[in-house]
Structures are given as structure tokens and as C-alpha cells.
Amino acid sequence: MIAVLRIVMKDINIAAATALQAIDPLGREKGVKAGANIVMPNITPGSYRNDYFLYENKPCVDEEPEECLGCLDARFSMTGHKVIYGDWGDSIHFKKKDR
């Protein structure tokens, strides 16, 4: 579905959410390879994570947010893509909208 959506709507943001990794250990990486351009790390502080337990097998629940950054860099270097930090994430589609 990500690949089809990317073909149909070339200029939108498509998220590779942690839910993809819950169903496949490489789910977020596969999402990026299929056309997703946003990665959603789990940055909720560890002491609050159990309050946001929405589905089984959620990745990174035993890591602190700081640990997530190195993990993301390593995981996504395997896809041939680079994680960019600090950039504003509006899509090209959003920027083209009439205001």
C-alpha cells in the first residue's frame, strides 16, 4: 500500500510508523524502501511508555529516547537512506497548497 500511495501521490509525507515494525522486525525499513519518507521513533520517556501501550510487539519499549537515535541511524543506513534530524517536515504537497 505504501508503494501504491507513493506512485499515486508523489508529493505527500508517508509515515513508516512503529506499528510496521510490530508486524515485521524490519517493517519500518521496508516501509521506507517502499516509499515512506517519514520515520516515527518512539521518544516517549520510559516511565510513561506503559501508558501508551496501544498494540502488541511495539518496538523499542525498553529503550530510552536517547538510545533511539543511534538505533535509527544504524537501521536506516541499511536502506540506503539517511535519517535527517532537525528539518521541518512539511510535505511538498503542503507547501504547494493555497493559503
Side-chain angles (χ1 to χ4, degrees):
M1 290 308 299
I2 290 172
V4 170
L5 186 57
R6 176 56 61 213
I7 290 166
V8 173
M9 302 185 78
K10 296 177 181 359
D11 61 354
I12 66 168
N13 284 343
I14 302 171
T18 55
L20 291 174
Q21 194 172 333
I23 58 175
D24 183 314
L26 296 174
R28 288 190 290 177
E29 292 87 339
K30 289 178 179 180
V32 168
K33 289 177 109 176
N37 59 338
I38 301 291
V39 177
M40 299 176 66
N42 188 353
I43 59 169
T44 303
S47 59
Y48 298 103
R49 289 199 180 172
N50 286 335
D51 296 334
Y52 296 96
F53 192 72
L54 303 175
Y55 49 85
E56 297 292 322
N57 300 320
K58 188 169 185 170
C60 308
V61 293
D62 56 344
E63 296 176 356
E64 288 300 317
E66 305 81 44
E67 296 174 273
C68 224
L69 299 180
C71 177
L72 281 178
D73 287 332
R75 292 180 72 95
F76 287 94
S77 68
M78 296 184 297
T79 69
H81 293 81
K82 182 180 175 184
V83 177
I84 303 207
Y85 301 97
D87 276 5
W88 194 258
D90 289 341
S91 69
I92 295 168
H93 181 81
F94 177 79
K95 290 176 184 177
K96 291 192 294 190
K97 285 176 47 173
D98 290 333
R99 299 201 187 241

